[in-house]
Amino acid sequence: MKNIVASVGLIAIGATAMQNASAQNLALDQTKPWSVAATLRGFYDDNTATLADNQALPAGQHKGSFGFEVSPSLSFAWNLEQTTFRAGYLFSYKYFDNEIPYTTDKDSLVHTFNLSLTHQFNERYQVALSDSFVVGQEPDLLRAGNTFSTFQRISGDNIRNHGSIALDAQFTPTFGANLGYDNALYRYDAGGPTVVGGQITPSPVGSLDRIEHAPHIEGTWLLQPETKALLGYRFREIDYTGDELIAGTVTPFGVLAPVMSRDRDNREHTVYVGGQHSFRPDLTASVRVGASVSDYFNQAGAKDTWTPYVAASLRFNYLPDSYIEGGFSYDRNSTDLVGATGLGTFTMDAESASIYAAVNHHFTPKLVGNVMGQFQNSTYNGGLYNDDSEQYYLAGVSLEYLFNPHFSAQVGYNYDKLDSGLTAFPRTFDRNRVYIGVTARY
């Protein structure tokens, strides 16, 4: 499974992450184990708070804003004969000319830490560990996989951490296995439900704070030198940790039909088959297809829910420094929507289909372009929004010119759009962001 997880992680970094990372990753000096970089950018964001199209602005506040960003970074690489270690830190400070609506904030801080360690015991056994820790506000940064649980920007020092460990074993020339464990932690800064018209509205802490445990085992069979067959099993448990009321009606006699964060806890079992194939040295593909069953164990009488499972990826290195990478996934995921009906039912999660692609092209040795896009269709399970859908579009394009190995300039554009089919809670929005900047690296 680690191959497809790595691919998904690369594609699903999103427009914001691509914007922050592209400049620092180019033309690194391979003769020393460390490198430093700093980027200065000016930008315009026409919807800083991802407000819905029909949402009124607070008095004196503006939907969009000009601003600037300062982003230093530090990376380290250590290579031994059997061990590889990577570490990196990226800091981003953004200042907005106008306050972000519904806040008094005129700035935001993002911290991104990444660690990875790979050790080859011998030609048959290898272990890989990785961790990615983010403090931020944008939805494409606050996710560990390729699907979005929320499409909204959420102010504050929100935390996402994703760690994994995997052991690859090749027992015979044709049979191998991968055993691993993934853990994702989400902690949001804005806590405490609110009450509007007697109805409880959840905070991000109540609806999204959680820990996800996902061990897996996968067997591989070498059918041909270029082809592997796969058979795997994944267990996933999602424990909501907000310990808050996320729905209910407040009356003088107490809360009617209360729903707590933990009422959405669930366990999922997934079985799949698949394959990996190298069509040629520069064109590889991977696919896994199966089914999942989910058990909502904190809900008395809740029925098990079956969901298709698909994870596919493709990579084509069409030139020495240029590639196309993309994929498709279908799985069940958490959501910020609760959608309680007042009759004891509520939205438990969503089924999401996601397709994504990225192109990195070197027009010349000094001019590099990036294009990425993602589309996600989410259909909600249970409650007021049962079987309703939302579509989310994410796109980004950037150009970077390297004057020399230590100095470059870049320009870019990011587009986000949520097309919401929730008649009871319309939240359709679009967002345009443009930036221009320079990067120095050593």
Side-chain angles (χ1 to χ4, degrees):
M1 180 173 286
K2 73 170 187 176
N3 293 333
I4 195 157
V5 170
S7 174
V8 164
L10 177 63
I11 295 298
I13 59 174
T16 299
M18 183 182 75
Q19 172 184 328
N20 288 337
S22 62
Q24 285 91 336
N25 289 337
L26 292 173
L28 295 180
D29 186 351
Q30 301 298 320
T31 64
K32 62 180 188 293
W34 57 269
S35 63
V36 294
T39 297
L40 175 64
R41 288 194 178 114
F43 66 83
Y44 178 72
D45 185 339
D46 74 351
N47 191 359
T48 56
T50 57
L51 297 180
D53 290 345
N54 61 349
Q55 189 170 348
L57 280 169
Q61 291 195 327
H62 303 271
K63 190 173 183 179
S65 179
F66 286 95
F68 69 86
E69 177 185 15
V70 180
S71 181
S73 66
L74 173 66
S75 62
F76 177 80
W78 185 37
N79 298 307
L80 297 178
E81 184 177 353
Q82 294 176 272
T83 305
T84 301
F85 176 75
R86 298 282 188 273
Y89 169 66
L90 175 69
F91 172 74
S92 169
Y93 173 81
K94 286 184 178 180
Y95 178 82
F96 300 86
D97 288 339
N98 300 320
E99 290 181 354
I100 299 171
Y102 293 95
T103 76
T104 58
D105 298 338
K106 295 190 73 172
D107 56 14
S108 68
L109 283 74
V110 175
H111 304 268
T112 304
F113 300 86
N114 289 295
L115 294 170
S116 67
L117 174 68
T118 302
H119 180 71
Q120 187 85 34
F121 295 101
N122 51 48
E123 66 277 3
R124 296 173 59 188
Y125 297 98
Q126 174 181 291
V127 65
L129 300 90
S130 67
D131 191 78
S132 173
F133 177 83
V134 171
V135 180
Q137 301 80 37
E138 298 292 346
D140 53 344
L141 289 174
L142 295 171
R143 55 173 173 155
N146 60 310
T147 55
F148 290 81
S149 296
T150 178
F151 308 113
Q152 313 297 136
R153 183 192 188 278
I154 300 176
S155 293
D157 294 329
N158 311 297
I159 293 173
R160 184 272 293 158
N161 187 76
H162 177 238
S164 68
I165 180 171
L167 174 66
D168 271 320
Q170 193 66 40
F171 301 114
T172 72
T174 58
F175 175 69
N178 178 270
L179 179 66
Y181 168 74
D182 289 86
N183 177 276
L185 170 71
Y186 303 85
R187 291 284 186 272
Y188 285 82
D189 194 21
T194 57
V195 180
V196 179
Q199 299 300 311
I200 291 175
T201 300
S203 73
V205 169
S207 61
L208 289 173
D209 271 21
R210 64 196 186 277
I211 299 176
E212 299 183 2
H213 307 274
H216 72 268
I217 185 170
E218 182 176 271
T220 63
W221 288 266
L222 187 66
L223 304 180
Q224 295 178 357
E226 303 84 8
T227 306
K228 282 185 179 181
L230 310 171
L231 174 63
Y233 165 75
R234 181 191 70 180
F235 172 79
R236 182 168 63 176
E237 178 167 334
I238 302 178
D239 298 319
Y240 288 85
T241 58
D243 195 27
E244 289 186 1
L245 280 166
I246 58 174
T249 303
V250 178
T251 73
F253 308 101
V255 179
L256 301 179
V259 180
M260 297 293 295
S261 304
R262 60 180 173 272
D263 291 334
R264 299 207 289 181
D265 290 357
N266 63 86
R267 299 187 182 106
E268 181 185 69
H269 304 269
T270 302
V271 178
Y272 59 88
V273 297
Q276 296 175 344
H277 182 71
S278 295
F279 297 95
R280 53 195 226 186
D282 56 4
L283 179 59
T284 59
S286 174
V287 63
R288 289 158 175 81
V289 179
S292 303
V293 59
S294 298
D295 169 25
Y296 303 91
F297 53 88
N298 280 338
Q299 298 181 46
K303 296 181 180 179
D304 292 348
T305 302
W306 287 87
T307 310
Y309 171 77
V310 181
S313 68
L314 177 74
R315 183 179 177 100
F316 177 36
N317 296 301
Y318 60 92
L319 289 173
D321 294 317
S322 302
Y323 65 83
I324 300 172
E325 188 163 12
F328 173 80
S329 68
Y330 193 100
D331 205 353
R332 189 172 291 276
N333 61 279
S334 299
T335 175
D336 57 345
L337 295 175
V338 175
T341 62
L343 302 174
T345 63
F346 52 92
T347 301
M348 295 176 286
D349 51 26
E351 292 184 33
S352 294
S354 179
I355 186 168
Y356 39 87
V359 179
N360 182 87
H361 183 74
H362 282 241
F363 296 97
T364 71
K366 291 188 174 184
L367 181 62
V368 183
N370 288 277
V371 179
M372 63 81 59
Q374 179 170 349
F375 168 75
Q376 177 175 319
N377 183 82
S378 295
T379 302
Y380 298 103
N381 172 32
L384 187 64
Y385 310 120
N386 188 48
D387 291 333
D388 285 348
S389 297
E390 291 184 314
Q391 294 78 42
Y392 186 59
Y393 306 83
L394 176 72
V397 58
S398 67
L399 281 173
E400 182 152 21
Y401 186 80
L402 284 75
F403 298 98
N404 56 54
H406 303 290
F407 187 74
S408 67
Q410 60 277 162
V411 61
Y413 168 70
N414 297 333
Y415 176 72
D416 308 68
K417 179 177 176 59
L418 175 64
D419 189 0
S420 178
L422 309 179
T423 55
F425 181 42
R427 56 176 186 169
T428 295
F429 74 85
D430 59 10
R431 184 183 187 189
N432 297 274
R433 288 171 284 172
V434 294
Y435 64 89
I436 184 170
V438 294
T439 295
R441 62 181 63 83
Y442 178 73

